Amino acid sequence: MAHRLSDKAMHTAMSTKDPCQTQACEIQKCLQAHRYQESKCQQVIHEMHKCCKIHGKKSVCCSGFLKEQEKKS
């Protein structure tokens, strides 16, 4: 028997999703498709940087990107 989430539970689950998770997944897909050659995935990496600039501290996926930016500063 399948369990269906209530509307409130569904809203809570959706609102707690990492705002940059989609971009992080796209990076992983691209890297896997191109045998982990970062040069082939610069566009999706750029999109992740843009997302992290907007959502930064709210995104667990951005933690590595934020650390990288701090080192450059």
Side-chain angles (χ1 to χ4, degrees):
M1 180 166 79
H3 177 70
R4 187 159 189 261
L5 292 174
S6 69
D7 288 339
K8 184 177 180 180
M10 182 71 81
H11 176 73
T12 301
M14 289 174 66
S15 64
T16 58
K17 181 182 178 217
D18 192 302
C20 298
Q21 182 177 2
T22 299
Q23 290 80 0
C25 289
E26 288 301 316
I27 289 173
Q28 288 303 312
K29 285 185 214 172
C30 183
L31 289 172
Q32 288 172 355
H34 293 65
R35 297 182 185 187
Y36 294 90
Q37 295 177 41
E38 284 187 33
S39 62
K40 303 273 186 176
C41 300
Q42 289 304 303
Q43 182 59 39
V44 291
I45 292 170
H46 177 72
E47 292 301 317
M48 181 71 175
H49 278 287
K50 282 176 29 179
C51 187
C52 290
K53 281 183 182 179
I54 295 167
H55 299 288
K57 306 271 185 205
K58 294 185 278 182
S59 172
V60 175
C61 294
C62 291
S63 61
F65 281 90
L66 294 174
K67 287 178 185 174
E68 178 183 317
Q69 289 174 352
E70 287 174 7
K71 286 180 184 178
K72 290 180 180 178
S73 297

